[in-house]
Amino acid sequence: MVLFLLLLQAGFVSVVVLFTLSFLIASLTEKESRAALIAGAVVFLLIVFELIVTYLYTMGFFFGPAGLPVLLTGWVVTGYGIYFFGRHTGTNEKALKGIEGLIVGDAKRFDEREQVFARERSIRPGSKQYEAFYRAHPELEQGDSERRAAGGILGTPGAIDRPGGMPNVAAMEAAFSIPPHFGKRKNHSPAVQLSEQDRPKLSAEEAARRVKGYARQLGAGAVGITRINSLWVYSHRGEIFYENWDEWGQEITVDYSYAIVFAVEMDWEMVSTAPHTPSVAESALSYSKGAWVSTQLAAFIANLGYEATANHSRHYDLLMTPAAVDAGLGELGRFGYLITKELGPRVRIFAVTTDLPMACDQPVDIGVEDFCRFCKKCARCCPSVSIPGGDQQEVNGSLRWKLNAETCFGYWARAGTDCNVCMRVCPWSHPRTFPHRVVISLVVRNKWARRLFSLMDDLFYGKRPKPKAAPSWSRFN
């Protein structure tokens, strides 16, 4: 009996040592020196512990009156610990309702004209649109005017890293030059006009399988399908890119029933430099990829004989994050970004709206709301203090955390990048190496694991983790 328990205990310690070693290797690969140092110390202590137990066994300790109870107590505690942190602790029913689960009051559609990007990029001082908008929103004029005078959304691009970051600014500009080529409606016209009877005969399930597979083949990291909720269709057009000023202020209508929503992954090594210029270069590259994937996906559907419209940075009909939540890609985090199980918040989101009938996905509960309620790391690390550290508040009829966009973009203008600090420090952002996959699988299931690993993230990576060095080709200092 004693020998059997000792062998079990040795096997368990060996598993823990191997797991910690895998974490040590992952930390060294990720250049996380603090995490690697602590992991190495844990491995050392576990090995010392096992040597002590082995020594005590050879001295006959476990055959004495206290030996067996000590072993049994150790195994009871270990077994209960595994059960306690590994069991499923319940479902967030609100999350399974998607965006509808957040609605507690009178929710209204969002006007694209009020979005910061639309105000900065599309409203020209002295134009009739300018006069009309600021007559309706006088409280925004001064701040917007000051931002324009300072250079716009990104102020002086790359200011935080000048002059060393200028090659990264060049990479950013190169990537941002791509989406304008894909924004016009004609890009989605089918090469061959098909009559209804000539369309391929696809069941809803087969159509979904084809569309998702093609999106992943093009480069999408995660894909979901949902029926379009009118609440996340912009109410009025505010972004103008092709001198189509007759559309500014017009009500936006989407006659299609379905949205294919997908995420493009942002490279962890580039994001880990945030708020420095490699991060904004990666962000721009993701928008470039998203424009290409969404346009080609829309053209694919058009050539099946159905209507389709790409939603990317040169044409949005929908609010991307709510659409992604309803399509089952993830949940809304404290900082206002989507957090996915597979990629965390290191994503940019795009969509294709269509009348192609497809089987839809359902919203998911992966524990994000509960985790964010306890973690608060993004709020603690936000350089502009734009992320709320308190409870959720009702905003436009929905209960959620609301990012202060004005102060957030104010920091963008000073740094000359799109910041991404909240994305960098989020515990969900770690690369999906083996140890991180194990942690995520526990966090998804168990509320106590969420609390434990939030604290452990602070221990291993620091409460305010610093930016990392960039890949050699994108160094900025």
Side-chain angles (χ1 to χ4, degrees):
M1 178 65 171
V2 170
L3 182 59
F4 176 72
L5 288 174
L6 281 169
L7 289 173
L8 279 179
Q9 173 260 324
F12 174 77
V13 171
S14 298
V15 170
V16 175
V17 167
L18 288 173
F19 176 81
T20 310
L21 276 174
S22 73
F23 180 74
L24 171 60
I25 294 169
S27 299
L28 291 171
T29 303
E30 297 163 18
K31 300 175 184 177
E32 295 282 5
S33 56
R34 175 182 173 134
L37 182 62
I38 296 174
V42 171
V43 170
F44 174 77
L45 291 173
L46 286 171
I47 293 174
V48 169
F49 169 77
E50 191 56 36
L51 289 173
I52 291 172
V53 170
T54 302
Y55 173 75
L56 291 175
Y57 173 74
T58 61
M59 297 297 292
F61 171 80
F62 294 108
F63 295 99
L68 188 58
V70 168
L71 279 176
L72 288 173
T73 301
W75 271 107
V76 168
V77 171
T78 300
Y80 182 73
I82 294 172
Y83 164 76
F84 185 78
F85 289 107
R87 65 195 172 101
H88 190 272
T89 54
T91 301
N92 181 358
E93 297 296 336
K94 287 197 310 178
L96 296 181
K97 296 178 182 178
I99 292 302
E100 290 289 346
L102 303 179
I103 295 176
V104 294
D106 183 20
K108 296 181 173 61
R109 291 164 62 188
F110 183 72
D111 191 333
E112 190 184 40
R113 292 173 295 183
E114 297 178 21
Q115 187 204 61
V116 175
F117 289 106
R119 283 149 45 192
E120 295 292 332
R121 294 192 298 211
S122 295
I123 300 180
R124 299 171 178 173
S127 66
K128 64 179 182 180
Q129 290 85 8
Y130 184 99
E131 298 299 327
F133 181 79
Y134 289 109
R135 192 182 309 119
H137 302 280
E139 74 283 359
L140 297 174
E141 184 172 13
Q142 181 177 346
D144 288 354
S145 297
E146 291 173 353
R147 193 158 35 226
R148 288 191 195 93
I153 292 288
L154 291 183
T156 301
I160 194 172
D161 293 335
R162 279 181 178 263
M166 294 312 294
N168 295 326
V169 173
M172 176 195 76
E173 298 290 1
F176 277 144
S177 72
I178 300 302
H181 296 291
F182 295 113
K184 295 181 180 180
R185 174 75 181 178
K186 64 182 179 61
N187 289 316
H188 316 140
S189 301
V192 179
Q193 297 289 338
L194 297 178
S195 63
E196 188 168 345
Q197 58 267 27
D198 291 332
R199 290 173 175 171
K201 302 300 185 288
L202 300 175
S203 67
E205 290 73 20
E206 175 68 10
R209 186 160 52 251
R210 295 272 186 174
V211 164
K212 287 182 179 180
Y214 188 54
R216 293 191 183 96
Q217 180 69 18
L218 291 172
V223 191
I225 298 171
T226 183
R227 283 189 171 272
I228 295 173
N229 184 331
S230 62
L231 279 176
W232 29 265
V233 177
Y234 283 112
S235 64
H236 295 83
R237 179 69 63 209
E239 285 265 55
I240 302 298
F241 293 108
Y242 304 101
E243 298 301 318
N244 49 321
W245 287 100
D246 57 314
E247 295 183 17
W248 189 88
Q250 287 189 0
E251 183 176 359
I252 297 175
T253 58
V254 176
D255 298 326
Y256 309 140
S257 298
Y258 300 91
I260 306 149
V261 191
F262 65 90
V264 171
E265 180 181 9
M266 292 175 63
D267 179 73
W268 175 84
E269 195 173 11
M270 297 289 278
V271 170
S272 68
T273 68
H276 295 283
T277 49
S279 181
V280 74
E282 179 64 17
S283 182
L285 179 61
S286 299
Y287 281 113
S288 173
K289 291 178 180 177
W292 184 83
V293 172
S294 59
T295 301
Q296 190 152 332
L297 185 60
F300 168 71
I301 294 171
N303 282 284
L304 291 175
Y306 295 87
E307 295 289 325
T309 300
N311 283 247
H312 57 76
S313 61
R314 285 302 179 269
H315 178 88
Y316 286 119
D317 290 327
L318 311 179
L319 291 158
M320 291 293 99
T321 300
V325 170
D326 281 359
L329 267 63
E331 292 185 60
L332 184 65
R334 177 180 286 273
F335 45 18
Y337 284 164
L338 177 78
I339 296 181
T340 69
K341 180 181 177 182
E342 299 84 2
L343 306 171
R346 290 185 293 103
V347 295
R348 296 298 184 205
I349 315 167
F350 309 89
V352 172
T353 54
T354 180
D355 61 353
L356 170 65
M358 295 171 289
C360 293
D361 298 289
Q362 299 301 315
V364 295
D365 168 27
I366 57 174
V368 164
E369 183 181 45
D370 185 43
F371 188 94
C372 288
R373 185 176 289 112
F374 184 80
C375 176
K376 303 182 183 180
K377 197 164 194 172
C378 59
R380 186 167 63 241
C381 295
C382 178
S384 59
V385 198
S386 300
I387 300 170
D391 295 333
Q392 296 168 314
Q393 303 291 327
E394 183 176 341
V395 181
N396 186 28
S398 63
L399 190 65
R400 57 191 172 91
W401 291 290
K402 175 68 169 68
L403 174 78
N404 185 330
E406 304 305 315
T407 56
C408 176
F409 286 115
Y411 180 78
W412 284 29
R414 295 194 299 276
T417 73
D418 59 354
C419 185
N420 287 321
V421 167
C422 54
M423 184 185 293
R424 168 174 65 82
V425 303
C426 177
W428 290 79
S429 278
H430 296 300
R432 292 304 186 260
T433 53
F434 171 72
H436 290 305
R437 288 183 182 277
V438 172
V439 169
I440 289 297
S441 67
L442 294 173
V443 164
V444 167
R445 293 174 52 83
N446 186 278
K447 66 178 181 180
W448 301 111
R450 293 166 204 151
R451 284 144 181 77
L452 173 65
F453 289 114
S454 174
L455 294 172
M456 290 185 68
D457 197 86
D458 286 346
L459 172 65
F460 281 91
Y461 301 100
K463 289 188 174 183
R464 296 177 183 271
K466 296 178 180 179
K468 295 181 185 62
S472 59
W473 73 268
S474 63
R475 67 183 186 275
F476 52 87
N477 50 23

